[in-house]
Amino acid sequence: MDFMQNITKGLQEFLSSYIDLDYSLWVYRLLTPLIATFLLPLVFVALIYISFLVLFIYKLHREVILRSVRTDRKFWEVGRKIVAAIWDAHARIYHGYEVIGMENIPPEGAGLIVYYHGAIPIDMYYLNSRMLLQKDRLIYTIGDRFLFKLPGWGTISEAFHISPGTVQSCVNILKDGNLLAISPGGVYEAQFGDNYYELLWRNRVGFAKVALEAQAPIIPCFTQNLREGFRQVGIFRKFFMKLYNTIRIPVYPIYGGFPVKFRTYLGKPIEYDASLTPEQLQVKVAQALEVLINKHQRLPGSILHALMDRFPPFRSKND
């Protein structure tokens, strides 16, 4: 016993001669929230690659899997359901995720979902998973071109029908009777939006041209507290904006991963109206989306209040 006490005392004296233990402990406690804040987004990146691995395994062993489940469904059907189950479980546990207005999605036939783009569009992963599991419908999605340069993304995009999209390809998807999700703000809105939830569409009317040509209804979509889950750092905004406009790749650092309450609202469909121009339809959809934001989102958004929304007594009276 004396021997161990002498060793422990000697070790403490050695460390104290080279390291200020109190200062090190203070630095550790000071930096832990900062480190955790920037590391949490990596959890969601990891989840994307877990999705890739699940789909890759399914692709390699599809014959065994298909025989085991005895299904004659399409190639990616089982793989999509497995990944959707993973994402939906994460959504329920980590964000208490809910979808309000699912009845506004047509049970069959075309529908164009126009959504507000958060710093990370994780709400669309959640919504697509819920739609697959509850309604057995896949939402085709338009993604930025830089995504398709990421390793593993090709398999995910093939399974979930994610594409860069042109006006004509989007029209064809809708004419085939599918659901399609588009964010007019895109990566620009993701990078430079803030907790005031202003739409940053920059006069984009491509989605309106698609809806008019396909004669498809538009369903506005907004997820409450989306900006409180993930945010930009808030400094050097002009610098990063110039850099983004030059290279067209998201460069504005993101932090977060907070377990705030996420609740996706699907508004009433805006039916096809041949009398509207693309510009007029764009304004009409933007107004419908802003109504959802103003009704269901606390402005400016607050991370603390978004965390408290997980508990029913503290929820907004509008929910």
Side-chain angles (χ1 to χ4, degrees), residues 267-303:
K268 295 290 184 182
I270 299 171
E271 300 295 341
Y272 168 71
D273 184 347
S275 67
L276 296 177
T277 65
E279 290 75 17
Q280 291 171 330
L281 182 57
Q282 188 236 38
V283 171
K284 188 173 183 178
V285 175
Q287 290 174 344
L289 196 48
E290 286 170 344
V291 167
L292 287 180
I293 294 172
N294 292 328
K295 182 177 180 181
H296 299 293
Q297 180 61 54
R298 185 184 293 104
L299 299 174
S302 162
I303 294 174

Side-chain angles (χ1 to χ4, degrees), residues 9 25 30 41-42 88 136 152 159 165 195 242-243 245 249 254-255 284 316:
K9 184 177 180 180
L25 185 61
L30 177 67
L42 296 179
D88 191 61
D136 200 25
N195 59 336
K242 289 181 180 179
L243 185 59
N245 288 330
I249 295 176
I254 295 172
Y255 71 94
K284 188 173 183 178
S316 170

Side-chain angles (χ1 to χ4, degrees), residues 100 113-117 123-124 197 199 219-228 263-267 288-290 292-299:
I100 311 298
I113 299 172
V114 175
Y115 64 97
Y116 174 84
H117 203 306
D123 57 322
M124 293 311 298
Y197 291 86
L199 300 182
I219 301 97
C221 173
F222 170 71
T223 298
Q224 183 186 60
N225 296 326
L226 187 57
R227 285 278 169 189
E228 281 58 71
R263 190 183 285 108
T264 293
Y265 290 91
L266 298 165
L289 196 48
E290 286 170 344
L292 287 180
I293 294 172
N294 292 328
K295 182 177 180 181
H296 299 293
Q297 180 61 54
R298 185 184 293 104
L299 299 174

Side-chain angles (χ1 to χ4, degrees), residues 48-268:
I48 289 174
Y49 278 94
I50 289 172
S51 302
F52 156 66
L53 289 174
V54 170
L55 293 171
F56 186 71
I57 291 169
Y58 169 68
K59 188 175 184 179
L60 288 177
H61 304 287
R62 60 190 179 276
E63 293 181 2
V64 175
I65 295 174
L66 289 174
R67 282 201 303 269
S68 66
V69 298
R70 296 180 180 179
T71 179
D72 295 326
R73 293 188 174 190
K74 295 180 181 179
F75 177 80
W76 283 116
E77 187 74 16
V78 176
R80 278 197 295 262
K81 290 293 179 64
I82 294 171
V83 171
I86 294 172
W87 277 94
D88 191 61
H90 184 276
R92 291 174 185 272
I93 295 169
Y94 199 77
H95 289 290
Y97 183 67
E98 299 177 55
V99 179
I100 311 298
M102 189 76 87
E103 67 277 5
N104 292 322
I105 298 291
E108 58 183 20
L112 178 59
I113 299 172
V114 175
Y115 64 97
Y116 174 84
H117 203 306
I120 295 179
I122 190 170
D123 57 322
M124 293 311 298
Y125 307 156
Y126 291 163
L127 177 62
N128 206 355
S129 299
R130 188 67 56 86
M131 192 69 64
L132 270 169
L133 296 173
Q134 290 190 358
K135 301 295 184 181
D136 200 25
R137 296 206 69 185
L138 174 68
I139 302 174
Y140 288 57
T141 309
I142 302 303
D144 196 273
R145 295 183 184 277
F146 86 90
L147 288 172
F148 299 88
K149 298 177 182 179
L150 300 177
W153 189 259
T155 300
I156 294 176
S157 61
E158 181 184 354
F160 283 88
H161 294 282
I162 304 170
S163 64
T166 62
V167 170
Q168 193 55 53
S169 67
C170 291
V171 169
N172 292 338
I173 290 171
L174 292 172
K175 284 187 174 181
D176 287 339
N178 298 300
L179 298 174
L180 175 66
I182 296 178
S183 172
V187 176
Y188 184 83
E189 187 171 80
Q191 287 273 278
F192 304 108
D194 56 28
N195 59 336
Y196 284 88
Y197 291 86
E198 180 184 0
L199 300 182
L200 303 179
W201 289 6
R202 300 193 295 178
N203 298 319
R204 290 185 173 180
V205 295
F207 78 92
K209 293 178 180 178
V210 167
L212 289 172
E213 187 171 344
Q215 299 184 14
I218 295 177
I219 301 97
C221 173
F222 170 71
T223 298
Q224 183 186 60
N225 296 326
L226 187 57
R227 285 278 169 189
E228 281 58 71
F230 294 91
R231 286 187 177 179
Q232 276 69 29
V233 295
I235 59 175
F236 306 121
R237 178 184 174 87
K238 291 184 179 179
F239 167 77
F240 284 113
M241 190 175 291
K242 289 181 180 179
L243 185 59
Y244 170 77
N245 288 330
T246 300
I247 64 177
R248 296 293 176 177
I249 295 176
V251 289
Y252 208 176
I254 295 172
Y255 71 94
F258 304 114
V260 301
K261 179 69 177 182
F262 279 171
R263 190 183 285 108
T264 293
Y265 290 91
L266 298 165
K268 295 290 184 182

